[in-house]
Amino acid sequence: MRQFLIFGRPRSRTAWVANFLTVPDQSFCHHEAMSDAGNPIELQGRLQESSYIPTGNSDTGMIHTPLEILRFFPDARLVMLTGAHLSWKRFADEKRIPARVVQRVDEDYQAAKAILRDRGALFVDVHRLMKEVPVARELWHHCTGMRFTFNPIRYRMLRDLNIQVMQESLARRIASRLPRG
């Protein structure tokens, strides 16, 4: 079964990417399935239950436990979304997220980046993704394995949509997913 995992810090457009990679009769990408599943075993079950091939998860919470997750998905295609540092900082300031939480998210993000770089992940700058068709095409092909044709018309339509998780929901998820300590 072909699976893919999209990692990123909060506000890195993981919800948009999940929508982009979900196309009826082609591929399916969960968004924040790790939050709902609770652990990598349940996440693996959710992805294996899907009738779609390929199937994946686009999830900011996975940056906190990448090694644990990757043990359950040794052959998954990996992606790291980059370039959302300012969006995350602005969100954290607006929502008054405690400095220790912001620091922990940033540390976990940097650690996940290093782990994913060593595993051959595709790194995608979200600002370029929202402007450049070749970047979107590369992400599409990396995750789907070129099994399905990239649709530039659909990409352009989605590119102009502001797909986001509600800020209050995101703040709750960040607080609940951080490992204690």
Side-chain angles (χ1 to χ4, degrees):
M1 167 167 280
R2 180 171 198 80
Q3 297 171 333
F4 56 89
L5 300 173
I6 317 282
F7 293 75
R9 75 174 59 190
R11 311 310 292 169
S12 64
R13 312 244 348 143
T14 55
W16 186 93
V17 170
N19 279 273
F20 172 64
L21 292 170
T22 298
V23 179
D25 300 323
Q26 292 188 23
S27 64
F28 185 83
C29 184
H30 294 268
H31 180 247
E32 304 283 353
M34 188 66 184
S35 294
D36 299 330
N39 62 59
I41 295 170
E42 290 182 36
L43 176 62
Q44 184 183 43
R46 283 178 188 239
L47 269 58
Q48 288 176 342
E49 288 172 1
S50 175
S51 60
Y52 289 94
I53 299 175
T55 187
N57 184 35
S58 182
D59 197 324
T60 61
M62 294 190 303
I63 64 171
H64 303 297
T65 56
L67 289 174
E68 183 180 356
I69 291 165
L70 294 176
R71 274 196 291 272
F72 291 90
F73 299 94
D75 300 321
R77 295 287 180 121
L78 306 173
V79 175
M80 174 58 87
L81 300 176
T82 65
H85 179 74
L86 293 178
S87 297
W88 160 235
K89 291 297 185 196
R90 192 169 26 255
F91 172 81
D93 289 344
E94 288 172 6
K95 292 299 172 186
R96 295 187 174 103
I97 294 175
R100 65 177 174 68
V101 173
V102 172
Q103 180 179 355
R104 180 64 183 267
V105 168
D106 290 343
E107 289 170 356
D108 288 353
Y109 172 76
Q110 293 301 329
K113 272 177 61 173
I115 290 165
L116 294 177
R117 185 172 285 114
D118 290 344
R119 305 264 174 128
L122 174 67
F123 280 67
V124 176
D125 181 285
V126 295
H127 303 292
R128 290 187 60 215
L129 175 62
M130 304 309 337
K131 294 176 184 170
E132 301 174 23
V133 172
V135 175
R137 181 179 284 117
E138 182 179 25
L139 173 63
W140 175 265
H141 288 156
H142 182 78
C143 293
T144 68
M146 297 181 69
R147 180 178 171 141
F148 302 106
T149 304
F150 172 75
N151 183 338
I153 296 168
R154 183 173 179 276
Y155 161 74
R156 286 186 189 99
M157 186 260 322
L158 285 174
R159 177 179 63 190
D160 296 332
L161 296 179
N162 186 16
I163 299 168
Q164 298 184 40
V165 172
M166 293 184 327
Q167 291 188 358
E168 294 75 19
S169 174
L170 179 59
R172 277 194 311 275
R173 287 179 180 192
I174 290 167
S176 71
R177 284 192 306 230
L178 283 176
R180 303 290 178 224

